[in-house]
Amino acid sequence: CPRLSRTEHPQLFEAVDAVAAAMGVRPPGGIAIEDSFDISVSVGVRRWVLHIGVPMWMSMTGEQRAAVVANRVAASRHFHSWGGLVVRSADMFEDAYNVGGRLDRWLRYPEQVKPVAVLRLPLMAYMAAKDRLTRDSGLRLSYWCDRRAAEATSPSAMAGALVRLHSAIGRASGRLS
């Protein structure tokens, strides 16, 4: 997806930088334009990139755009935190080793895989800790991001932006007609 430059689009970058400053994060490393109905943030090691879905962006007011950017920046802050690192690491571990339910099978039937039998208790402790740490965390994070974005912009802008985002996602998934 094409990236915008700071020199060619200074007003957009200034607006996004102002929202980032209000959220307590560094300015983005870039802004990418996409042909989608979403506005998202990808997080790198040092910088984050704002991905703007043009159809969604064009359907929003300036306040709603700021609210969505604030919401997405708030979510990116979580991924730079210790809790985000733990959850991302756990997810990468599961993606790498839980192909076809292999980890679950190892935990239930360790005698079938002798080397893993030694790791059964640590793996069970890991899975229990991850479950405890992440249970309902997605919903809590979403509410926290919504609240932070409403504080940084305005509650009505955040509410309007959420309605637009959720209705676009619902239409794209076929749940709304």
Side-chain angles (χ1 to χ4, degrees):
C1 50
R3 289 214 180 174
L4 303 179
S5 72
R6 282 188 177 271
T7 56
E8 292 177 10
H9 302 277
Q11 291 177 325
L12 177 61
F13 274 91
E14 286 172 14
V16 172
D17 291 350
V19 171
M23 299 303 292
V25 299
R26 288 186 286 184
I31 297 177
I33 300 297
E34 300 175 353
D35 186 24
S36 70
F37 284 94
D38 196 12
I39 298 168
S40 62
V41 169
S42 61
V43 180
V45 174
R46 295 177 188 227
R47 292 287 186 175
W48 57 277
V49 175
L50 177 65
H51 297 267
I52 296 175
V54 175
M56 178 59 66
W57 190 259
M58 297 308 293
S59 73
M60 295 180 155
T61 66
E63 281 187 332
Q64 290 172 340
R65 291 172 183 166
V68 170
V69 171
N71 178 277
R72 299 312 194 227
V73 169
S76 77
R77 279 188 66 189
H78 169 74
F79 288 107
H80 283 297
S81 70
W82 176 248
L85 176 65
V86 169
V87 172
R88 277 196 327 271
S89 299
D91 287 342
M92 287 189 296
F93 174 81
E94 287 183 15
D95 288 346
Y97 296 104
N98 197 13
V99 178
R102 185 169 43 194
L103 184 58
D104 184 52
R105 189 170 58 250
W106 288 350
L107 293 175
R108 289 177 193 226
Y109 309 105
E111 62 280 351
Q112 292 179 357
V113 186
K114 299 288 186 214
V116 178
V118 176
L119 299 175
R120 184 169 191 243
L121 287 176
L123 286 172
M124 288 177 70
Y126 156 80
M127 295 296 283
K130 181 187 178 252
D131 182 53
R132 178 124 170 92
L133 287 171
T134 61
R135 186 180 311 131
D136 300 328
S137 66
L139 190 56
R140 282 194 310 271
L141 175 62
S142 178
Y143 290 155
W144 181 82
C145 292
D146 295 345
R147 188 180 77 237
R148 290 283 309 189
E151 291 169 355
T153 57
S154 76
S156 63
M158 189 63 230
L162 286 174
V163 167
R164 288 200 184 275
L165 281 171
H166 290 291
S167 63
I169 291 168
R171 276 201 269 339
S173 68
R175 288 182 285 197
L176 296 174
S177 50

